[in-house]
């Protein structure tokens, strides 16, 4: 009986991990297709399920930056990095480009 319970728990845990990996891959695919809202929804479902890995955070940061939410991207970036820790230069560059892009878009809208 105990062995059966342990085996069921292990099987359930493996299925949950693979489902999380599938959702992450779906989010990556949506990001690649520039479907940022869909990617954010998938990433948030991973967060709600407790599947927050550094890769999930990085993709969320990139998605927020590309979708015109650089302030949210910066907040997520601060959650990813440890205070006094080493910065992720390429990721931080994408956040900075998100700020620049949103400002340029705003300037074009004003003209």
């Amino acid at each position: 009986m105990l062995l059966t319970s342990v085996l069921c728990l292990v099987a359930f845990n493996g299925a949950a991990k693979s489902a999380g990996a599938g959702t992450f891959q779906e989010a990556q695919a949506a990001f690649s297709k520039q479907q940022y809202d869909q990617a954010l929804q998938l990433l948030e479902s991973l967060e709600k399920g407790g599947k927050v890995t550094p890769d999930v955070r990085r993709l969320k940061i990139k998605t927020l930056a590309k979708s015109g939410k650089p302030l949210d991207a910066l907040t997520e970036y601060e959650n990813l990095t440890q205070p006094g820790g080493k910065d992720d230069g390429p990721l931080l560059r994408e956040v900075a480009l998100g700020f620049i892009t949103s400002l340029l878009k705003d300037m074009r809208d004003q003209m």
Side-chain angles (χ1 to χ4, degrees):
M1 182 72 157
L2 180 62
L3 180 60
T4 305
S5 298
V6 170
L7 289 175
C8 288
L9 183 60
V10 168
F12 176 75
N13 191 20
K17 284 182 181 177
S18 66
T23 304
F24 180 70
Q25 290 173 347
E26 291 173 24
Q28 285 179 315
F31 178 83
S32 296
K33 295 176 187 174
Q34 298 179 352
Q35 298 171 342
Y36 303 125
D37 290 333
Q38 181 182 2
L40 281 174
Q41 288 175 352
L42 291 166
L43 292 167
E44 287 172 2
S45 71
L46 283 172
E47 287 180 334
K48 288 178 185 174
K51 307 267 188 242
V52 183
T53 64
D55 287 336
V56 169
R57 286 208 188 272
R58 283 186 190 92
L59 184 57
K60 185 174 182 184
I61 292 165
K62 290 178 183 182
T63 305
L64 287 167
K66 292 279 188 178
S67 65
K69 301 174 184 170
L71 193 56
D72 293 339
L74 184 60
T75 301
E76 282 294 322
Y77 179 81
E78 290 171 350
N79 291 336
L80 175 69
T81 58
Q82 299 296 324
K86 186 176 178 182
D87 282 326
D88 184 340
L91 187 59
L92 191 55
R93 185 177 301 117
E94 288 193 44
V95 173
L97 286 173
F99 277 103
I100 293 168
T101 304
S102 66
L103 289 174
L104 289 175
K105 184 179 177 186
D106 186 42
M107 289 171 59
R108 287 184 198 148
D109 290 342
Q110 291 179 6
M111 294 179 135

